[in-house]
Amino acid sequence: MAKTTRSKSPTAKNLVIVESPAKAKTINKYLGSDFKVQASMGHVRDLPSKGLSVDIENDFQPTYEISPARKKLVSTLKSLAKDCNRLYLATDLDREGEAIAWHLSEALGVPEKKTNRVIFNEITKRAITQAFENPGKIDMDKVMAQQARRILDRIVGYQISPLLWKKVARGLSAGRVQSVAVKMIVEREREIRAFDPIEYWLIPAVFTNNLDKCSQYAQQWQKFIETTDDKDKGPTLAKQNKWLAEHNAFKAELSTVAGKTFDANNETQAKEIFQALENADFSITDIQEKSSTSRPAPPFITSTLQQAAANRLGFAAKRTMRIAQQLYEGIDLGSMGTLGLITYMRTDSTHLSPEALNEARKYIENNIGAEYLPPKANIYTSKKNAQQAHEAIRPTDVDIDPKQIKDLLSTEQYKLYQLIWQRFVASQMAPAKWNTTTLDITADTNMGKCCYKAHGRTLVFAGFTKVWPTSSTDQQLPELSEGDKVGQIEIKPVQHFTKPPARYNEASLVKALEKEGIGRPSTYASIISTIQDRKYVEQIDRQFHTTDIGEVVTEKLDEFFPRIMDMAFTRHMEEQLDKIEEQHLDWLSVLNEFYGPFKQNLEKAADKMKHAKAETKPSEYTCTQCGKPMVYRLGKNGTFLSCSDYPECKFAAPCDKEGKIIEAEVTEHKCPNCGKPMIKKQSRFGTFLGCSDYPECKTTQKIDKDGNIVPPAPPPQPTGIKCYKCSTGELVIRQSKKGPFLGCNKFPRCRTIISFKQLDNLKALQEKGTWPPKTFEEADELLGRTKKPAAKKKAAKKTPKRTKKA
């Protein structure tokens, strides 16, 4: 290892390349003056953006090119690499990082004997020193695994997407993993629509052992439970439990009636039992107490970090990974310097190094208490295909308490670092201990013995919850003994219906993707981002809803590409890609296994897939104009109702996501052209007013969010000043959100824009005869426009083009 002291030599003997400037800055301070650290800014080579660039007939040979935005950078890196003593590729330790290292080595052309690969799980002095003392070579199995994935995704994306453009709508795309993720959401939506709720009744009760205050408490409880906050929500469960504890009260549920499990599926049954209970005398007939423990959860892996950040912090997966990247690469902590605060954030292993375990145990003993330290370190088992060489996500230095550096972090950095720090420390703490109590509350009624059950749990020893708080809905039961009488504060029958499965949110979707083996930890964030960008799904109240286009695309792909849309096959392909890296599986055999059936499906789809806009589905509605059945069609804004006799009858109506017709809402406004009522309509740009006599009258008006008509923009005001670009137009005063500006009246053919502040100046120049000028450069000078040096150089090359046409 080179000396860590810096020399004043301006040249570096060894070149180190990482992905980002932040990572370079952090690493640079741990290396001596013999090293120069540069950033590649991510990938420098890739498949070209246009064309398939994979020779399928020639063993799937890819064609790589230097990314246009990286050409200058690669040229700089080449010149540095040419004179360097040794090249160290210090990109991330996963497949993607290995691929970046390989592409760099190929692009720079440094001999293999001079090229070293260094990997580290954290950016700390210890980890960097060890990595550079023990450099290795590029792992070609990892590279081939990444290349196979890249080629697979390119084949699917570039060969199915054009088909969707032709058969559904322009701008759509398909993906080997993203399409399966959309299918999961579509199938959940269909489950919800098909769900048939079942009625059932419960008869909950609230009891107290303060028998002389039952009537008083009943009135107070009713008043308390009806209070609402500024969001019109009633008391939370925590507040209810607090009220109950203060009044020696507790909740219970009816368990058995005459020795049989209580079961009522209609109001008649429920009220019959309720009437028997209403004035019954209750007493405690059984008390069961037992101790229980709960162990801490393992330290974070990528998927669990994304889930916890979504649930506890409200962070989207993409946001979580962006912040985690910052914490990993290094944060400027003032006098402490730039430090990498967490280990590598793309991992599926819960493994912790012996050093990390020892540091955590030492911290717990010294700062939290010896009683919180278990006899031995807590060891967690990772799933079978996890890479044990990787570590879980943890703080690089457990002694850096989040609260100590709060002022040096952004709000979101602090929240995520605190989450990771707490989870890591808690994972090595003792279990929490609880006392659990179950009460039987019984009454003799005319329907036989009726028994209620109440459950309460009390924390005896906080254990790991001292650091990792867990929300609890457990009530605190009053001190009771068998035979004690209790009084009713409230007993009432309550109607319920079974609920459909919940829609996915970001946390539950990540969990489902992981469970099904769809994608890998490093891809979850991009999958979730992509399916929203493509408008296949949308988030409403943090839950994923499918769009019409998402459902149509899923139906098409499901019909013609069943293997790609099959979760078992997608999981199998992920496992095959893993085996390329871990078991030296031939990457070409994996691609051949996939491509044969895929090619057949592609040919069949090109021939037999019908255009989505030509397909219809029957509806329950009848056309109000001709009386024929209405059908569902797909339009540019989603599904709508159309007369089945189209194009003879052109009547159409919008429908909601459940397919129910949206009745036209007639407003108080009259059409300014024909006087007929205006109705509210929807477009992709929002709500507007349209004449009820459409299509005879096509008048429309904009409205604001309160339904008020937005007055039309005033017509442009002429200025009499000639346009200097087109020479035939005249500058007019137009209005924008930022205020007035000068624009050419030949818009959109001429797009001249000049600041409104120049109006008086231009009038004076035109009166002097110096406006309009002959060249664009003269115009810039007259308008006082200044340019940066780089822009001048660029403009000089284009001077002939900027001269006005005669």
Side-chain angles (χ1 to χ4, degrees):
M1 178 67 186
K3 295 179 181 177
T4 55
T5 55
R6 299 181 181 275
S7 74
K8 295 182 180 179
S9 171
T11 59
K13 297 178 182 178
N14 300 295
L15 177 63
V16 181
I17 303 179
V18 297
E19 294 100 327
S20 73
K23 190 175 178 181
K25 181 181 177 182
T26 311
I27 288 174
N28 190 58
K29 74 174 194 172
Y30 298 127
L31 299 175
S33 57
D34 289 338
F35 293 85
K36 184 176 182 63
V37 186
Q38 292 288 109
S40 71
M41 309 302 291
H43 278 279
V44 295
R45 285 203 324 172
D46 199 359
L47 299 172
S49 58
K50 292 184 179 179
L52 183 62
S53 303
V54 176
D55 190 348
I56 294 170
E57 304 302 325
N58 186 24
D59 287 339
F60 300 95
Q61 190 66 36
T63 300
Y64 293 113
E65 68 173 17
I66 304 294
S67 303
R70 299 285 180 267
K71 286 184 178 179
K72 186 175 180 181
L73 175 63
V74 169
S75 178
T76 301
L77 293 176
K78 268 187 177 180
S79 63
L80 291 171
K82 184 179 178 182
D83 300 323
C84 76
N85 182 28
R86 302 198 73 79
L87 172 64
Y88 291 89
L89 300 170
T91 51
D92 290 343
L93 67 161
D94 58 5
R95 283 181 198 160
E96 203 71 24
E98 206 72 25
I100 293 173
W102 177 70
H103 282 296
L104 280 166
S105 69
E106 292 288 302
L108 302 184
V110 177
E112 186 178 349
K113 64 181 182 180
K114 287 177 60 178
T115 303
N116 297 276
R117 175 78 171 107
V118 288
I119 58 173
F120 33 84
N121 187 52
E122 59 187 71
I123 305 179
T124 59
K125 184 174 183 178
R126 178 182 61 191
I128 299 300
T129 302
Q130 289 177 352
F132 278 83
E133 284 178 346
N134 302 282
K137 295 297 178 182
I138 293 172
D139 185 340
M140 290 309 296
D141 286 331
K142 268 189 181 180
V143 173
M144 291 301 103
Q146 191 275 344
Q147 178 169 274
R149 179 185 293 275
R150 186 77 180 92
I151 291 172
L152 272 178
D153 292 343
R154 174 56 70 102
I155 289 171
V156 172
Y158 273 58
Q159 297 202 325
I160 297 183
S161 297
L163 189 66
L164 294 177
W165 281 47
K166 291 178 183 177
K167 304 293 186 178
V168 182
R170 291 181 64 82
L172 300 179
S173 73
R176 184 181 60 85
V177 177
Q178 77 176 48
S179 297
V180 180
V182 174
K183 181 181 176 181
M184 291 170 66
I185 298 171
V186 168
E187 288 183 339
R188 178 59 57 87
E189 196 72 37
R190 289 172 179 166
E191 285 180 54
I192 293 169
R193 287 179 196 156
F195 183 79
D196 189 12
I198 299 171
E199 181 183 10
Y200 69 97
W201 287 73
L202 297 176
I203 309 179
V206 178
F207 296 110
T208 181
N209 62 352
N210 290 343
L211 299 179
D212 57 338
K213 293 187 177 180
C214 287
S215 298
Q216 180 185 340
Y217 285 177
Q219 293 175 0
Q220 292 176 2
W221 170 255
Q222 191 62 37
K223 186 178 179 181
F224 166 74
I225 211 71
E226 289 175 357
T227 58
T228 56
D229 58 17
D230 54 359
K231 295 181 180 178
D232 203 31
K233 292 184 177 180
T236 62
L237 208 50
K239 288 182 179 179
Q240 292 179 40
N241 287 340
K242 182 182 178 184
W243 188 97
L244 293 169
E246 290 170 351
H247 295 77
N248 276 6
F250 58 95
K251 292 180 180 179
E253 284 288 350
L254 183 58
S255 173
T256 60
V257 176
K260 294 181 180 179
T261 302
F262 166 65
D263 181 24
N265 55 27
N266 59 63
E267 186 176 8
T268 303
Q269 288 179 328
K271 284 198 171 179
E272 184 181 5
I273 298 170
F274 165 69
Q275 287 167 0
L277 293 166
E278 196 171 11
N279 297 308
D281 294 323
F282 289 91
S283 60
I284 307 298
T285 52
D286 187 39
I287 300 176
Q288 296 179 15
E289 293 183 340
K290 62 178 182 178
S291 299
S292 64
T293 60
S294 53
R295 294 189 70 229
F300 284 131
I301 59 176
T302 305
S303 59
T304 55
L305 174 62
Q306 291 173 354
Q307 292 168 48
N311 289 329
R312 294 194 173 215
L313 307 178
F315 287 2
K318 189 174 182 180
R319 182 183 182 189
T320 298
M321 296 310 290
R322 172 178 58 78
I323 303 165
Q325 184 90 31
Q326 295 167 3
L327 296 173
Y328 165 69
E329 291 183 343
I331 302 292
D332 186 352
L333 299 179
S335 60
M336 296 171 68
T338 302
L339 299 177
L341 290 175
I342 65 168
T343 53
Y344 192 56
M345 63 283 161
R346 294 184 179 91
T347 177
D348 55 4
S349 171
T350 57
H351 170 70
L352 293 169
S353 68
E355 295 84 2
L357 289 172
N358 290 335
E359 288 173 8
R361 289 176 61 79
K362 189 183 298 182
Y363 180 89
I364 294 164
E365 185 173 17
N366 294 338
N367 295 277
I368 303 175
E371 67 272 25
Y372 291 93
L373 187 68
K376 294 190 296 184
N378 295 330
I379 305 298
Y380 299 92
T381 305
S382 302
K383 56 184 182 179
K384 64 177 183 179
N385 59 344
Q387 299 185 41
Q388 291 302 322
H390 293 184
E391 272 198 82
I393 305 169
R394 61 169 176 80
T396 55
D397 185 350
V398 72
D399 287 322
I400 302 179
D401 188 302
K403 294 184 179 66
Q404 295 173 353
I405 58 171
K406 183 176 182 179
D407 293 340
L408 300 171
L409 303 177
S410 68
T411 302
E412 59 184 8
Q413 287 171 347
Y414 169 73
K415 286 181 177 179
L416 194 65
Y417 178 62
Q418 183 183 46
L419 197 72
I420 294 167
W421 186 91
Q422 288 176 326
R423 179 71 164 240
F424 168 65
V425 174
S427 75
Q428 292 309 309
M429 291 176 69
K433 294 179 181 179
W434 307 81
N435 276 346
T436 304
T437 305
T438 302
L439 302 178
D440 282 0
I441 309 102
T442 308
D444 290 317
T445 72
N446 58 12
M447 297 190 71
K449 280 189 183 293
C450 292
C451 181
Y452 274 83
K453 282 195 179 290
H455 303 277
R457 191 171 70 154
T458 306
L459 185 65
V460 176
F461 173 64
F464 73 92
T465 65
K466 190 174 180 67
V467 170
W468 184 259
T470 55
S471 57
S472 174
T473 58
D474 299 306
Q475 61 181 338
Q476 182 181 332
L477 298 173
E479 291 289 336
L480 292 163
S481 303
E482 283 189 34
D484 285 355
K485 292 187 178 298
V486 292
Q488 305 173 20
I489 292 178
E490 180 183 72
I491 289 184
K492 64 178 181 180
V494 182
Q495 184 186 38
H496 294 272
F497 291 92
T498 52
K499 294 181 179 179
R503 287 186 172 89
Y504 289 112
N505 56 27
E506 287 222 7
S508 60
L509 183 58
V510 167
K511 188 174 182 179
L513 290 169
E514 183 182 35
K515 180 182 177 183
E516 295 294 340
I518 307 301
R520 283 295 177 258
S522 59
T523 64
Y524 297 147
S526 62
I527 291 169
I528 291 172
S529 179
T530 300
I531 62 178
Q532 292 179 88
D533 292 343
R534 299 299 182 191
K535 309 298 182 188
Y536 293 148
V537 302
E538 58 184 348
Q539 281 200 69
I540 302 173
D541 295 330
R542 295 179 64 186
Q543 292 184 320
F544 285 112
H545 293 247
T546 58
T547 62
D548 293 333
I549 204 77
E551 293 201 42
V552 169
V553 168
T554 299
E555 285 177 7
K556 296 289 185 187
L557 296 180
D558 232 0
E559 180 181 358
F560 291 97
F561 298 93
R563 270 163 62 96
I564 283 182
M565 299 298 281
D566 179 55
M567 281 190 277
F569 179 72
T570 305
R571 179 167 53 249
H572 167 71
M573 291 307 298
E574 294 288 359
E575 290 167 353
Q576 294 296 88
L577 291 169
D578 288 343
K579 287 178 182 177
I580 295 172
E581 176 183 341
E582 297 160 8
Q583 301 177 23
H584 314 294
L585 181 65
D586 178 33
W587 67 280
L588 286 175
S589 67
V590 174
L591 294 176
N592 281 314
E593 175 195 353
F594 170 84
Y595 191 72
F598 173 76
K599 184 180 179 183
Q600 294 176 0
N601 291 338
L602 196 66
E603 292 169 351
K604 180 182 176 183
D607 181 44
K608 297 188 176 180
M609 186 184 287
K610 292 182 181 178
H611 199 291
K613 292 184 180 178
E615 295 180 318
T616 62
K617 291 181 180 179
S619 80
E620 60 187 77
Y621 299 103
T622 303
C623 179
T624 57
Q625 291 191 0
C626 70
K628 293 187 178 177
M630 298 278 282
V631 294
Y632 294 110
R633 294 183 189 273
L634 181 69
K636 60 183 179 181
N637 298 323
T639 302
F640 68 100
L641 282 161
S642 167
C643 181
S644 57
D645 197 29
Y646 178 85
E648 299 304 319
C649 177
K650 296 183 179 179
F651 179 74
C655 61
D656 60 22
K657 292 187 74 67
E658 280 71 46
K660 293 180 180 175
I661 194 167
I662 299 174
E663 299 291 344
E665 184 181 341
V666 180
T667 69
E668 59 188 16
H669 304 292
K670 302 295 181 184
C671 176
N673 290 327
C674 70
K676 293 187 177 177
M678 299 289 279
I679 59 176
K680 275 189 181 180
K681 294 189 174 184
Q682 290 286 337
S683 77
R684 57 180 171 167
F685 302 110
T687 307
F688 69 99
L689 295 180
C691 183
S692 56
D693 197 29
Y694 179 86
E696 298 305 319
C697 179
K698 298 182 179 179
T699 303
T700 62
Q701 290 180 308
K702 292 181 180 179
I703 56 174
D704 59 25
K705 62 180 181 180
D706 297 320
N708 301 315
I709 293 175
V710 177
Q717 294 177 252
T719 64
I721 301 170
K722 291 286 186 181
C723 175
Y724 74 100
K725 283 188 179 178
C726 67
S727 298
T728 58
E730 179 185 308
L731 296 180
V732 293
I733 301 172
R734 298 183 185 277
Q735 296 293 330
S736 74
K737 290 180 180 179
K738 295 181 179 180
F741 67 94
L742 301 177
C744 184
N745 64 355
K746 298 294 184 181
F747 179 86
R749 290 179 63 187
C750 179
R751 297 177 179 267
T752 300
I753 292 177
I754 299 175
S755 171
F756 180 71
K757 295 176 181 178
Q758 294 281 357
L759 179 59
D760 292 337
N761 180 34
L762 292 176
K763 285 181 178 179
L765 290 172
Q766 189 160 283
E767 286 177 8
K768 290 180 183 178
T770 54
W771 188 273
K774 294 181 180 179
T775 66
F776 295 165
E777 282 71 25
E778 288 178 44
D780 290 340
E781 190 174 338
L782 289 170
L783 293 169
R785 291 172 175 168
T786 57
K787 293 184 175 64
K788 296 178 182 178
K792 283 183 180 178
K793 186 177 179 181
K794 192 172 182 180
K797 293 181 180 179
K798 294 187 177 182
T799 300
K801 292 184 180 180
R802 289 177 55 82
T803 304
K804 288 166 52 179
K805 293 181 181 179

